Amino acid sequence: SKAITPGKHTLEFNFGGIKRYAYNLAGNNRVKRIIKGTGVTSGVNTDITISPALTDTSKAFHFISYRHTSANDHADTFKSSEIINPSTLRIFSDSSGGANPVNFEYTIIEFDSASPINVQRSTATHSPGSTFPRSTSFTPIASLSQAFLINEGHTHNAVETSIGCEELDRIRLTSTAAWELNIGCAPNTGPQQNRVEIVNWNDPISLKAAQRGLAALTSAQTALTITPPTLVDPTHTLLFINARATSAQTWGSNQMGLYATLNSAGNIIIERQTTSPGTASVQLAWELVEFNPGFANIEHVTINSITTTIGSATISQVDSNNAIAIGTVSIPFGHGGSRNSAITNGGINSNQFTI
């Protein structure tokens, strides 16, 4: 069967006089295709050929997770990404010329031309010593409850061996016409570039609501439960987390690596391995994107890879061509954050997810 009009549909199946019914929801936003791929970055910029090419870049958004073994050289490892034209997804690296190879896995979700979704791309560029928070404008949208922000990472060129608060960014939508970047300490080199996608879903038939807020892990906390103003159904809800650190300390992966999920009650669960250096806190931005039942099924799973480099989790059976796997935490870059016990300087953000 094929749904011609948006809204709720009831399908009748007649098996020799025995009737059964299925219920689905056809929104105005209709997925045209999902494009996936893997690779390894090379040089300052890595251009990925999108095949087949996108029909309209304003109808597509993307996620990338990264995997690497680099340590003590984070400036050459950090990445950001952007769909720069219908046939090219670009991964940006250190602008000073250093660029460690990093494995990546990307997913692009494209909607058909009749879909009301509109995706904007925005880059904030700042020089050494900039003050924060900083606000960046975009073309106004109608409602924050029908929009969400995707963190596409950042690049910088500091020659350092440790992660400090200047490398940890918090981003969020603050109005229907601006997004905010907040860093705990001013970057000590530059330029630094932060990239985002602003997704104006613009279809209340399929998207129930998006909501967002702020929270904090105090210096002594390793776990936090956030109850959103409106509870959500986790089986239809995406969760996005990013964060900044508040003081000029050296941060280990075990202190800033975050685990985030939704429990069965719709509460946000945040964990990290150990407490902060000194008295510094971790200031979080969270976003929940809840779809109406029948449009999208979402499964929140936990993968434990304690003694191996590869971990897995059993999920409900899916068509892998029409399903994606992404991490919930996007700091410092890529959708692959996790709680971990590593104390290696710069050994952070090295998780890649796939189905």
Side-chain angles (χ1 to χ4, degrees), residues 13 29 50 94 102 202 214 228 236 253 279 321 344:
F13 299 89
N29 279 329
I50 301 172
D94 176 11
V102 170
N202 199 27
L214 301 175
H236 302 298
S253 298
T279 59
N321 294 320
T344 303

Side-chain angles (χ1 to χ4, degrees), residues 6 29 61 69 78 84 100 107 115 164 215 219 233 235 251 254 278-279 304 308 319 323 334 348 352:
N29 279 329
F61 56 84
T69 58
F78 276 44
I84 62 170
N100 293 340
T107 298
S115 297
S219 60
D233 180 348
T235 64
W251 289 80
N254 58 342
T279 59
N304 294 309
T308 65
D319 178 352
I348 194 169
Q352 183 177 314

Side-chain angles (χ1 to χ4, degrees), residues 199-221:
V199 180
N200 181 17
W201 192 265
N202 199 27
D203 180 20
I205 293 176
S206 58
L207 181 58
K208 183 176 181 179
Q211 55 181 313
R212 56 197 55 81
L214 301 175
L217 280 165
T218 67
S219 60
Q221 281 183 303

Side-chain angles (χ1 to χ4, degrees), residues 120 122 134-141 144 149 171-181 196 198 212:
Q120 299 182 55
S122 180
R134 295 189 63 201
S135 183
T136 301
S137 299
F138 54 84
T139 302
I141 58 178
L144 283 177
L149 191 68
I171 64 162
R172 62 185 182 123
L173 283 174
T174 51
S175 75
T176 56
W179 64 279
E180 178 191 88
L181 168 67
V196 302
I198 303 103
R212 56 197 55 81

